[in-house]
Amino acid sequence: MKKIAKLMLGLSLLAGSSLSAGAAFAETAPAITTSSTIITTGNPYLKQLPYSSQGKIYGTVPKGTQLTVLENTNKQYVKVKYNGQIGYISTLYLKAVGGGTSTAPAPSKPGTSGSGSATWSKQADSILSFAKSLQGKVQYVYAKNDTKNLIFDCSSFTKYVFNKEGINLPWGARAQYKLGTPVNKSELRKGDLVFFSTTATAGNKDTVNKIGHVGIYIGDNKFIHNVNPKDDVVIGDLNNTWQKNHYVASARILK
């Protein structure tokens, strides 16, 4: 009986210490409220509306940007102002750091020495490194998005690898093209998405409706994609005959 009593006392003390630790943590982690200063922990989209699949996407907010919450809108989104544009960002990619005003950095043009340039370039390297690491591990199945078992089609694969950098792409090659900023083939840089037609879509006249496949540009006319059940994830060449004949468009996600 004495042993049982000691055991119960020990468990009681352990539970008490856990509760105290939890309470202490809650006190040191500020809640996100209107007028809070927040910092982005990923690269969330700045959206027109505070809903996951509605409204226009204005662009992305770089990781490490400090902003002031204009409105604690709902559990999923807060309203902020970034680069003069008011919109909503996901609460999944931010944390509260206390009071203050917005200190969001001005975006740098691609290819310059500013922080924006370093951000997109590092993101592209990370995305491409992760994509290459999945060669031999991913299985291609049309219309699949199984992150647990690494079973994807072309666009759920790009969605998966971009998500590792906190960038949420929609599922679907056409939707991903519409999300990005169109770029000419001659202006491609690492991390851009490249889009192709398939046998089923090649006859369509409209650019978006021609799209049936997507990959991620690496550089030197190479790109990585999850192509079919026979090959799965491979590196392709834009100079090859099939790619030349089926290339439709490119779009930039990383800014």
Side-chain angles (χ1 to χ4, degrees):
M1 291 298 291
K2 288 183 179 181
K3 289 183 178 180
I4 294 174
K6 287 182 179 180
L7 178 61
M8 293 300 291
L9 177 60
L11 290 172
S12 176
L13 290 172
L14 180 61
S17 64
S18 299
L19 289 171
S20 298
F25 178 79
E27 290 175 1
T28 58
I32 296 172
T33 60
T34 301
S35 298
S36 289
T37 297
I38 56 171
I39 186 167
T40 53
T41 57
N43 299 274
Y45 291 128
L46 184 67
K47 292 172 56 64
Q48 180 186 24
L49 297 174
Y51 309 104
S52 60
S53 59
Q54 297 180 28
K56 186 187 298 183
I57 294 175
Y58 299 122
T60 58
V61 180
K63 184 177 181 180
T65 299
Q66 288 191 25
L67 301 164
T68 298
V69 175
L70 302 180
E71 176 186 273
N72 188 14
T73 309
N74 55 41
K75 291 183 179 179
Q76 287 77 39
Y77 289 92
V78 295
K79 182 189 283 187
V80 297
K81 185 175 183 180
Y82 174 67
N83 275 345
Q85 177 66 60
I86 293 177
Y88 300 87
I89 61 174
S90 171
T91 55
L92 292 175
Y93 303 105
L94 57 87
K95 65 179 180 180
V97 294
T101 58
S102 172
T103 57
S108 300
K109 294 181 179 180
T112 68
S113 59
S115 61
S117 174
T119 297
W120 77 259
S121 182
K122 289 172 66 176
Q123 285 180 316
D125 288 340
S126 178
I127 287 167
L128 290 168
S129 177
F130 182 54
K132 291 174 184 177
S133 75
L134 294 172
Q135 289 182 276
K137 299 176 183 177
V138 162
Q139 179 184 354
Y140 179 98
V141 175
Y142 178 71
K144 273 286 187 179
N145 183 23
D146 185 345
T147 58
K148 181 179 179 181
N149 296 301
L150 297 182
I151 304 174
F152 305 110
D153 62 13
C154 65
S155 64
S156 58
F157 173 72
T158 53
K159 172 180 170 65
Y160 180 68
V161 297
F162 270 78
N163 190 59
K164 286 294 183 180
E165 277 296 299
I167 299 171
N168 294 317
L169 296 183
W171 185 11
R174 294 174 184 177
Q176 290 177 6
Y177 173 72
K178 289 191 285 187
L179 176 68
T181 301
V183 293
N184 292 329
K185 193 175 183 180
S186 60
E187 299 172 339
L188 280 169
R189 72 184 191 195
K190 62 184 178 181
D192 287 344
L193 296 179
V194 286
F195 299 89
F196 305 88
S197 64
T198 62
T199 302
T201 65
N204 295 323
K205 295 181 180 180
D206 176 71
T207 296
V208 174
N209 289 326
K210 274 183 175 292
I211 291 172
H213 184 67
V214 60
I216 309 169
Y217 189 67
I218 297 173
D220 297 323
N221 285 310
K222 301 292 194 301
F223 69 101
I224 189 165
H225 58 153
N226 193 27
V227 61
N228 58 44
K230 178 183 176 182
D231 300 313
D232 300 317
V233 177
V234 294
I235 293 175
D237 192 322
L238 293 177
N239 290 324
N240 288 347
T241 302
W242 187 93
Q243 282 82 354
K244 279 186 176 181
N245 292 339
H246 289 267
Y247 173 84
V248 175
S250 304
R252 182 156 297 158
I253 301 295
L254 306 177
K255 306 294 176 60

